[in-house]
Amino acid sequence: MRYLYVHQRDLLEKLRDPSCPRAGVVLAPPGAGIRTAVLQHAAAVAPTSLVMVVTRTVVEARQWAVRLADRGVVVRLLAGAPDALELLESLDHPRDGVIVTTFSRLQSGPSRRALASVRPDLLIWDDPAASLPVQLGDQARQVVVLASPGDGQRWAQWPVLLAVGTEVLPDRGHPTVREVPFEVSREELELRTEARALLRSLGVKPPQPWSDSLPSLHAWLLARATEAGEHLSTRVWAVLDRIENVPPDDDRRDVLRRTLAGVASLSRPCLVVAPTPADAVYTADQLAGSALAPVPVIDATLSAADRRGVLAGLALGQCVVATPVLDDVWHELPIGCVLVLLPFPDGSGLPGRIVDAVEDIPGLDIIRLREVPSPAAG
């Protein structure tokens, strides 16, 4: 049994109370730890009843599946057509355990057919991107919607099982994300604007949201430098040269080094998470030669087993730089680890999902670097 903070215990008791409304919504910000309580409830229900968890993305579905499996629960993850076909071909419809899938799989393709006859006793609707299907909601004996406080108006007609705001988390004993600001110069902001405009001229449409850090912009421009026409090619190489000649002694690097030096002085392991491979490599290069001596970057080139191996070998006072490829192993970070999140693009939602994934780790601290314009940048 994992330790629960006060608001988590309140939610778990509410869910187990026979007088609890059949369907209700939990309103809480990312990192509030509500999923830990819901996971415990699902794990208690699953041995004798069927639980269904529906998420926005496959990444989130896999996180639910891993964390439930860690609790000894039998889990079926429907993340693709083969999973759905296997369920369709099974002779008996599942009556217990947990089925984890996504909103899109629930609405189309083989998964929709496979799930059409599923009758969950407990339905968990995680961060819903769409309205709850009436038939599915009516069939479940208990429906729990997990939503952010900003979505409260959408669920105004639903009973609120628990409402938690960021301002009360410290009072309830739950660890919060500590933000550390650093200044970005006017020159860098102008260079980013010029690089983005140049990418648009080249017809580049990066996935949204995307990182507009200088390392990321440099990677995008360099990949297309040889494809640009004569006029644009000159501009591309000029901007690339300016990015490469940006002075390395900026506030970002100094703040990061001071933060990591403080972590190392406490003999605690540390994982720095960068938004893109380019940002990760740049960060590792910046820290190279310092006393921190980070290990090679953890990215998509490493297998899941190798990623686990690196995390398992993360020593006290050691720093590792990684990209967000640890979807299945965030919860395997060592006890007492410090997680440092570099700036992520607005709207990515990734920092919140990472915070939710690591909330069970004892003694873990989370630091998020946040950029602010320098006074000279206006």
Side-chain angles (χ1 to χ4, degrees):
M1 180 70 70
R2 287 165 168 78
Y3 174 80
L4 295 180
Y5 295 97
V6 175
H7 65 287
Q8 294 170 323
R9 293 198 298 271
D10 290 346
L11 176 58
L12 186 59
E13 292 172 3
K14 183 81 171 181
L15 294 174
R16 292 175 174 175
D17 189 338
S19 64
C20 176
R22 188 190 71 84
V25 60
V26 180
L27 300 173
I34 57 172
R35 286 166 185 80
T36 295
V38 178
L39 278 160
Q40 287 204 16
H41 181 54
V45 171
T48 57
S49 302
L50 181 61
V51 179
M52 179 183 289
V53 180
V54 186
T55 70
R56 283 201 186 205
T57 68
V58 173
V59 168
E60 293 164 337
R62 286 175 177 156
Q63 289 178 354
W64 272 94
V66 168
R67 296 176 69 185
L68 285 163
D70 283 347
R71 288 165 168 79
V73 176
V74 177
V75 181
R76 285 177 178 262
L77 174 63
L78 269 66
D83 305 321
L85 293 175
E86 181 181 345
L87 181 59
L88 278 171
E89 293 170 357
S90 61
L91 296 177
D92 298 321
H93 294 299
R95 294 181 175 84
D96 53 30
V98 180
I99 295 175
V100 184
T101 190
T102 64
F103 300 118
S104 59
R105 294 288 173 187
L106 189 65
Q107 296 169 345
S108 61
S111 298
R112 180 181 181 181
R113 292 176 52 205
L115 296 170
S117 57
V118 171
R119 302 291 185 270
D121 294 282
L122 169 62
L123 175 62
I124 301 169
W125 201 247
D126 189 2
D127 193 18
S131 300
L132 179 70
V134 175
Q135 183 178 6
L136 185 62
D138 288 345
Q139 292 168 351
R141 289 191 301 179
Q142 185 176 34
V143 181
V144 181
V145 173
L146 309 181
S148 65
D151 291 332
Q153 192 60 37
R154 288 181 53 195
W155 305 96
Q157 303 304 314
W158 283 55
V160 176
L161 304 180
L162 181 74
V164 178
T166 55
E167 72 283 351
V168 302
L169 292 182
D171 296 334
R172 296 191 175 199
H174 192 83
T176 56
V177 179
R178 178 165 66 91
E179 290 197 343
V180 177
F182 64 88
E183 295 182 356
V184 181
S185 67
R186 172 181 294 176
E187 290 74 19
E188 178 172 336
L189 294 175
E190 292 175 349
L191 188 51
R192 286 191 202 172
T193 300
E194 187 173 349
R196 288 195 300 266
L198 192 51
L199 285 171
R200 287 193 295 270
S201 299
L202 291 169
V204 175
K205 295 181 179 179
Q208 298 295 331
W210 64 297
S211 172
D212 69 344
S213 67
L214 288 183
S216 179
L217 291 169
H218 184 279
W220 279 101
L221 286 172
L222 187 61
R224 283 147 182 85
T226 58
E227 303 171 4
E230 182 176 351
H231 173 64
L232 285 179
S233 178
T234 301
R235 292 176 55 196
V236 168
W237 287 110
V239 171
L240 286 171
D241 286 342
R242 289 170 58 195
I243 293 176
E244 293 170 4
N245 291 322
V246 169
D249 296 328
D250 60 6
D251 192 48
R252 175 193 296 100
R253 190 206 65 168
D254 293 341
V255 167
L256 179 60
R257 281 192 172 181
R258 287 198 300 270
T259 300
L260 299 187
V263 173
S265 69
L266 298 174
S267 296
R268 298 179 64 180
C270 178
L271 179 69
V272 179
V273 185
T276 69
D279 290 291
V281 171
Y282 179 77
T283 301
D285 287 345
Q286 277 195 322
L287 296 175
S290 69
L292 298 172
V295 301
V297 171
I298 302 176
D299 59 17
T301 63
L302 294 181
S303 67
D306 288 339
R307 296 169 199 168
R308 284 189 167 90
V310 173
L311 290 182
L314 187 56
L316 299 180
Q318 184 183 15
C319 174
V320 173
V321 180
T323 58
V325 293
L326 303 175
D327 300 324
D328 297 337
V329 293
W330 287 119
H331 66 294
E332 296 181 20
L333 288 175
I335 292 174
C337 183
V338 176
L339 188 63
V340 178
L341 306 180
L342 299 185
F344 278 72
D346 293 337
S348 70
L350 186 58
R353 294 200 298 273
I354 293 174
V355 170
D356 283 335
V358 301
E359 64 193 11
D360 287 345
I361 301 173
L364 183 136
D365 286 324
I366 303 167
I367 299 173
R368 183 175 181 178
L369 300 192
R370 177 174 57 87
E371 64 176 46
V372 296
S374 68

